[in-house]
Amino acid sequence: NGGANDTKNLRVKLVLLGDSGVGKSCIVLRFVRGQFDPTSKVTVGASFLCQTIALQDSTTVKFEIWDTAGQERYAALAPLYYRGAAVAVVVYDITSPESFAKAQYWVKELQKHGSPDIVMALVGNKADLHEKREVSVQDGIDYAEKNGMFFIETSAKTADNINQLFEEIAKRLPRPST
Ligand code: GDP
Ligand code: MG
């Protein structure tokens, strides 16, 4: 082992799931473009964006990000997006218990129909709205732990923990054997 030539370049399919309005598209926009647009449009169907990050061990990870629409009428299409995904990011809004319940629905879906070695992250977004918080940090931690998920709270608005989310995911990816 060692030497400058064993850099690994990983490419992974990542799907975002969660209720409409929790901030999935804003998280992606913050991560990929470094922007927050409070007037961003509702996602119809799904959209696709890529972003590459470099880890400290000089591994690069190219995320192929599928941002899905949360509306009920698209729920039947969701398996098309999470099928074959190496990573699922399930997002809720910390001000919305309904969205936390919906996140749990998506986790169960992924456990039933996702690939068995999928890396799952649970994300409590809108952490900047702390006066309106209705889902405790501990509830997020507990649910994630029970389901073998990585947990983080983010704010797409302030950029808090957005890069950390993707870096932590990258660290948890199974590495191709050499
Ligand atoms: P999606 O339906 O899950 O893709 O949600 P969007 O990304 O379209 O965001 C829905 C709404 O929440 C928009 O009005 C955003 O401006 C707002 N929003 C998204 N992320 C945050 C955040 O971290 N903090 C706050 N305060 N608002 C956010
Ligand atoms: Mg959206």
Side-chain angles (χ1 to χ4, degrees):
N1 187 27
N5 293 323
D6 48 357
T7 300
K8 312 268 192 330
N9 300 293
L10 306 182
R11 204 179 58 152
V12 295
K13 177 178 169 182
L14 180 152
V15 65
L16 280 127
L17 296 165
D19 222 350
S20 190
V22 296
K24 299 180 297 299
S25 298
C26 288
I27 288 170
V28 176
L29 212 65
R30 175 59 84 182
F31 174 56
V32 174
R33 304 236 170 89
Q35 295 170 350
F36 178 75
D37 177 3
T39 65
S40 64
K41 304 275 186 306
V42 170
T43 311
V44 175
S47 80
F48 177 74
L49 281 168
C50 289
Q51 178 70 310
T52 302
I53 63 169
L55 298 181
Q56 285 191 330
D57 66 354
S58 74
T59 306
T60 67
V61 178
K62 181 180 184 183
F63 289 108
E64 298 176 343
I65 303 170
W66 291 87
D67 174 22
T68 65
Q71 298 91 331
E72 290 301 336
R73 66 196 151 114
Y74 296 113
L77 295 178
L80 293 176
Y81 301 113
Y82 62 68
R83 188 177 302 150
V87 181
V89 175
V90 179
V91 184
Y92 65 92
D93 168 352
I94 65 151
T95 73
S96 163
E98 297 75 24
S99 75
F100 187 54
K102 193 62 184 276
Q104 297 178 22
Y105 160 83
W106 283 116
V107 172
K108 291 186 190 101
E109 275 294 296
L110 289 161
Q111 287 167 343
K112 271 188 264 172
H113 305 297
S115 72
D117 52 357
I118 195 164
V119 173
M120 287 199 280
L122 181 66
V123 176
N125 189 44
K126 307 198 187 183
D128 56 287
L129 298 178
H130 36 83
E131 331 77 45
K132 291 188 182 164
R133 176 188 290 276
E134 290 199 39
V135 181
S136 72
V137 177
Q138 198 58 49
D139 283 350
I141 291 172
D142 288 346
Y143 186 78
E145 200 167 281
K146 252 186 254 153
N147 290 278
M149 304 171 81
F150 163 65
F151 174 73
I152 195 166
E153 286 196 350
T154 59
S155 170
K157 186 174 181 181
T158 66
D160 204 35
N161 275 347
I162 298 294
N163 287 335
Q164 287 84 341
L165 163 63
F166 290 91
E167 280 162 19
E168 289 299 325
I169 289 167
K171 287 186 203 161
R172 285 167 172 76
L173 292 171
R175 297 302 153 104
S177 49
T178 43

